Amino acid sequence: MAFTDIFRISSSAMTAQTVRLNTIASNMANADAASASEETVYKARRPIFASVYQNSQLASNNALAGARVQIVDVVETGHALQRYEPHHPMANSQGYVYYPDINVVEEMADMMSASRGFETSAEVLSSVKSMQQSLLRLGEA
Amino acid sequence: MSISFDRALGAHPQALQLRLTRAGLLSNNLANVDTPNFKAKDIDFAAEMQRVKQPFQHSTATRLKYRLPYQPSADGNTVELNVEQAAFAQNSMDYQMSLTFLKMKFSGLRSAIEGK
């Protein structure tokens, strides 16, 4: 597996963790966004991770295919909850206002996991970069 | 009278190539630390070096093995960050070591050629 493959794998991991942090940030920002109906209220979003195996390696009978990470989709997995606030300007006819069901503590834990994954990939990238630089210095006098 | 670089450099070039392959595998594991149902892979370095050093005509491809996890996980992902990070750090140091040996071999050859 050449150096370019390793760079590509690590950079894909960093991209995927960044997208994950993006969804976490938007979940946390919209945690208190009220809405008049259940269809229009913000629902918590989650990314879906998947491994993408390199086809060229599989074709050459080499089992050492590297797998990049890819965010396949960002889906809405949350629900809406309703609170009884008859004096709210967005209350519907029964007096209920819809809020997204987002647990901020859960989002913070997810954020820590995502930043740890990002830092790991950054470490791998810098380590492999120094390996390649040492290799280039091999031929020097 | 020609210099046989193959015999002069010994097993170090193959070791370097195998270390690089292993670095690729371990960085693969680290990249997929959050992917559900991803199984961590690795190679047995000592066994692979033995296989590479023997000059078979039809040597098989590198055998990929799966890592046994210490703890079960809810989403089927067997990558454990501490295990993989330790293995990656160890492998990087071994790579630098092989590179240093190779450098020493080259400087030895150069001083032999220059007659110092």
Side-chain angles (χ1 to χ4, degrees):
Chain A
M1 202 180 291
F3 282 111
T4 52
D5 289 336
I6 304 178
F7 285 131
R8 205 179 303 146
I9 291 168
S10 292
S11 67
S12 77
M14 292 201 284
T15 311
Q17 299 294 354
T18 312
V19 172
R20 183 178 171 197
L21 270 174
N22 197 338
T23 59
I24 293 169
S26 75
N27 284 347
M28 283 177 38
N30 289 297
D32 284 327
S35 172
S37 74
E38 194 172 347
E39 289 81 27
T40 57
V41 75
Y42 181 89
K43 298 186 191 59
R45 295 159 162 248
R46 292 264 174 273
I48 301 178
F49 279 71
S51 294
V52 177
Y53 287 91
Q54 317 277 56
N55 279 329
S56 60
Q57 301 278 36
L58 287 173
S60 67
N61 260 353
N62 190 350
L64 299 173
R68 288 179 292 122
V69 187
Q70 196 184 341
I71 299 271
V72 179
D73 201 3
V74 176
V75 293
E76 289 187 345
T77 57
H79 310 285
L81 49 83
Q82 44 187 348
R83 292 188 205 147
Y84 183 67
E85 290 174 12
H87 301 293
H88 197 278
M90 279 200 237
N92 62 2
S93 50
Q94 283 95 9
Y96 285 102
V97 186
Y98 288 93
Y99 287 93
D101 188 13
I102 291 175
N103 185 354
V104 180
V105 175
E106 212 174 278
E107 301 293 330
M108 296 276 294
D110 209 8
M111 176 182 76
M112 286 177 356
S113 169
S115 68
R116 180 212 58 186
F118 184 90
E119 279 166 15
T120 305
S121 295
E123 275 297 321
V124 167
L125 205 61
S126 82
S127 183
V128 169
K129 185 180 68 122
S130 75
M131 279 163 69
Q132 192 174 17
Q133 278 174 342
S134 319
L135 187 63
L136 287 173
R137 279 198 293 270
L138 186 60
E140 289 173 13
Chain B
M1 178 182 107
S2 62
I3 297 175
S4 161
F5 276 101
D6 230 2
R7 289 213 316 263
L9 296 175
H12 294 303
Q14 286 111 319
L16 215 57
Q17 186 58 42
L18 211 51
R19 288 276 173 220
L20 185 59
T21 309
R22 186 157 187 242
L25 269 175
L26 293 173
S27 74
N28 202 11
N29 290 345
L30 284 170
N32 284 292
V33 69
D34 285 319
T35 314
N37 287 321
F38 181 83
K39 310 297 175 199
K41 304 182 192 62
D42 200 359
I43 58 175
D44 183 357
F45 191 81
E48 294 300 328
M49 271 308 289
Q50 287 296 328
R51 197 187 49 80
V52 160
K53 273 182 354 183
Q54 284 152 2
F56 288 150
Q57 270 87 349
H58 43 270
S59 61
T60 53
T62 314
R63 195 172 301 162
L64 215 55
K65 296 189 176 174
Y66 288 94
R67 179 99 62 202
L68 286 175
Y70 285 106
Q71 296 170 10
S73 85
D75 59 352
N77 179 308
T78 66
V79 177
E80 280 157 338
L81 203 56
N82 44 349
V83 171
E84 301 298 330
Q85 274 179 334
F88 185 80
Q90 176 71 40
N91 189 56
S92 292
M93 289 314 298
D94 291 339
Y95 179 90
Q96 300 287 358
M97 194 171 64
S98 283
L99 214 51
T100 308
F101 283 141
L102 211 51
K103 208 181 299 184
M104 279 161 43
K105 293 271 186 201
F106 274 123
S107 69
L109 279 173
R110 187 184 297 126
S111 42
I113 290 170
E114 290 169 358
K116 290 200 176 76

